[in-house]
Amino acid sequence: MKNQIRLRFAPSPTGPLHIGGLRTALFNYLFAKKMGGELVLRIEDTDKKRTVKESQKHIEESLSWLGIDFDESTSKGGDYGPYNQSERGSVYIKYANELIERGMAYYAFDTTEALDLERKGHEKKGKTFIYNSHNRERGRLINSLVLSEKETQEKIEKGRYVIRFKTPADKLIHFEDIIRGKVSVSTRDIDDKILFKSDGMPTYHLANVVDDHLMKISHVIRGEEWLPSLALHNLIYDAFGWTAPKFAHLPLILKPTGKGKLSKRDGDQFGFPVYAISWSEEKLYKGFKESGFLSSSLINYMAFLGWRPKGDNEIYSISELISDFRLENINKAGAKFDPKKLLWVNAQHIQKTNIKELVKLCSSKNADIEKDVFEKFLELVRPRLETIEGLKKKFIFLFERPGINKDLVNKMSSKETITAINDFITEVRSNKTNKAQNLKELLSKSVERSGAKFGKTLGFCRASIVGKMEGPDVFEMMEFIGAQETIVRLKLGANI
Ligand code: GLU
C-alpha cells in the first residue's frame, strides 16, 4: 500500500459532462494506468442548489462509453466510500470542528447584506474587499474571533453561521505544480474561504481536501480553472498537518478560433458536439457518440489536447497512449479544439479498426442496412468515411437505383463507349461473373475491342451506377450491387 499511486476524477453533477471534464478524466485514467495505480470516481455533489438530477447518470454513461473505467466509485464500491460527497456529510463537520479546535478556522455570522456593504465600501475607495487577517478582527465583521464564547454559542444555536478558514497572515507560500513548476502566492491576497455552510454541507474546498486525504489520493490532475485554489488547498493541508498530493493543472481547451475558453454553447454555434453522449435540456444536444464518432477516436483526439508524445505519430490506440503518456509532456499553453482534426482522427480510426469490430460499432446505428451485406458494405465504403452514422443515406446508390443523370451520362458517352458497354454486358452475361477483378478485366477487353477510351468508359459506368461522379471503386461497386443490377443501370445509362 505504501507509495500507492491513486488518482481521482471528481466532477460536480451540475450539468452534462463536456469535453473539458472528459479530457480531465482521460488524463487521470492514462496516468493511473501508466503507473499501475488506482482510479476513483468521486461525485462532488455538496452544492444542493446546483445539482442537476440527471447529470450523474450522464457522467457515468459518458465515461463508460469512452471505456474510462474506475477501480472505485458509487456503483463499484470500494474501501474509501461513500463516493458521493452528499453521503459523507458527517465526515466533514468533524474535520471543520478539528480546524476550529486547532485555531485554524472560526465561526462567522455576517449577513449577505453586511458583506455586500463591505464590498461596496471598498470598491468606492478603489480597493478589493478580502475577508482575512486585515479586517476579520477589526470589529465590523461578526465572527467568533471578536465575540465572546457565550455570544458565539448563542449565534450558533440560532443556526445561521458559516465556518471560515483562518488564512495565515501575510505569508509568502510556495508550492509546486507538475506542469507549471514552482508557484508563490502571498496570503495577503487570499480570502478566509468558507469551509462549511449553514445548510450543514461543506464547501468544495473543505470536502475536496478532506476526501483527497481520506481517499489517499497521491496525484490530483484537474483543469486550470482550479489553479487559483491551489494556494488555499495547500494551506488547508498544512493546517491539518497532512501531506498534500502532487498537483497537475491541465491547460484550458480553447474555442476553434483560439480565442477564449471552449464553452458548452460553442458546440451549438460552430455545429459540433461537446458532450460524449447526447444530453437533452430544453432541446437535444447530440453527443459525439450519436454523431458517429468512435470512442477510440475521441480518446485519441482528447489526449492531444494539451499533451504531445515524442515523434510525429498522431494516431494512437488507448494502450499506446497509456504506454507513451507522461505528465511532463503536457503543455502550459491552452489547446485549441479543432473539430476538423477530430474528423480526420475519426477517419483514421475507422480505417484501422478491425472490420468485425467496426460492424459491431456501426450496425445498431445503421439498422436500415441489411445485416448480411453490412461487412461487405463497410469494407467498400470505409476509406471514405469520416463518421459512422447515416451510412445508408450517404451511399444510397449502393442500395437503390439512382435516377438517370442524362447530362452526365451524355457527357461521358461516345459511340465507342456505348459499343464497349454493349460488349461488356454480353461478356458479363456469358461469363456469369460478379467479382470486381474479373469485371475489370472484361471491361478492359471490351474497351480494347471497340476502340473506346478506358477512362471515359469508366466514367460512363460511374455516372450510370451512382448518378454522380463520386463513390468507391467502380468494379467494387458493381460487385456489391451484383451483375444483374449493374447491367440494368448500364443499359438505362446507355438508353439501350
Ligand atoms: N468538483 C470539481 C469540478 O467539478 C473538482 C475539482 C477538482 O478536481 O479538484 O471540477
Side-chain angles (χ1 to χ4, degrees), residues 8-14 21 24 28 42-45 85 204 208-209 212 220-223 225-226 233 247 249:
R8 69 1 175 229
F9 175 52
S12 300
T14 52
T24 301
N28 274 284
R42 184 175 73 223
I43 303 292
E44 301 207 324
D45 54 351
Q85 286 186 329
Y204 157 73
N208 190 270
V209 166
D212 281 346
V220 169
I221 303 177
R222 61 185 174 191
E225 64 274 25
W226 298 107
H233 292 183
F247 288 95
H249 287 83

Side-chain angles (χ1 to χ4, degrees), residues 433-472:
T433 183
N434 215 6
K435 290 270 159 272
Q437 188 53 37
N438 297 346
L439 293 168
K440 187 172 183 181
E441 280 159 20
L442 291 180
L443 188 74
S444 305
K445 284 187 193 144
S446 301
V447 163
E448 250 173 58
R449 278 195 291 270
S450 59
K453 289 206 172 75
F454 188 76
K456 198 161 181 187
T457 313
L458 203 62
F460 173 85
C461 293
R462 185 176 293 284
S464 309
I465 291 170
V466 182
K468 287 182 265 191
M469 296 311 279
E470 58 185 54

Side-chain angles (χ1 to χ4, degrees), residues 385-491:
L385 296 183
E386 282 188 320
T387 63
I388 57 166
E389 48 74 60
L391 296 183
K392 186 162 187 180
K393 206 166 141 212
K394 271 184 207 146
F395 297 96
I396 190 67
F397 50 87
L398 293 174
F399 302 95
E400 287 169 22
R401 197 175 295 159
I404 296 294
N405 184 338
K406 274 224 170 81
D407 290 345
L408 191 62
V409 282
N410 286 343
K411 210 170 114 196
M412 292 294 159
S413 51
S414 64
K415 212 169 122 248
E416 292 78 14
T417 315
I418 302 300
T419 315
I421 291 297
N422 251 322
D423 188 67
F424 176 62
I425 291 172
T426 316
E427 289 297 313
V428 173
R429 276 188 180 139
S430 68
N431 277 276
K432 293 199 171 50
T433 183
N434 215 6
K435 290 270 159 272
Q437 188 53 37
N438 297 346
L439 293 168
K440 187 172 183 181
E441 280 159 20
L442 291 180
L443 188 74
S444 305
K445 284 187 193 144
S446 301
V447 163
E448 250 173 58
R449 278 195 291 270
S450 59
K453 289 206 172 75
F454 188 76
K456 198 161 181 187
T457 313
L458 203 62
F460 173 85
C461 293
R462 185 176 293 284
S464 309
I465 291 170
V466 182
K468 287 182 265 191
M469 296 311 279
E470 58 185 54
D473 175 79
V474 167
F475 302 104
E476 300 284 345
M477 285 196 286
M478 288 178 175
E479 178 171 331
F480 186 82
I481 62 173
Q484 287 301 329
E485 178 66 15
T486 300
I487 292 172
V488 173
R489 293 193 194 183
L490 293 178
K491 284 178 92 175

Side-chain angles (χ1 to χ4, degrees), residues 125-137:
K125 290 185 222 151
K127 290 185 182 163
T128 311
F129 170 61
I130 302 177
Y131 199 132
N132 69 8
S133 63
H134 292 268
N135 48 28
R136 62 165 93 102
E137 288 172 72

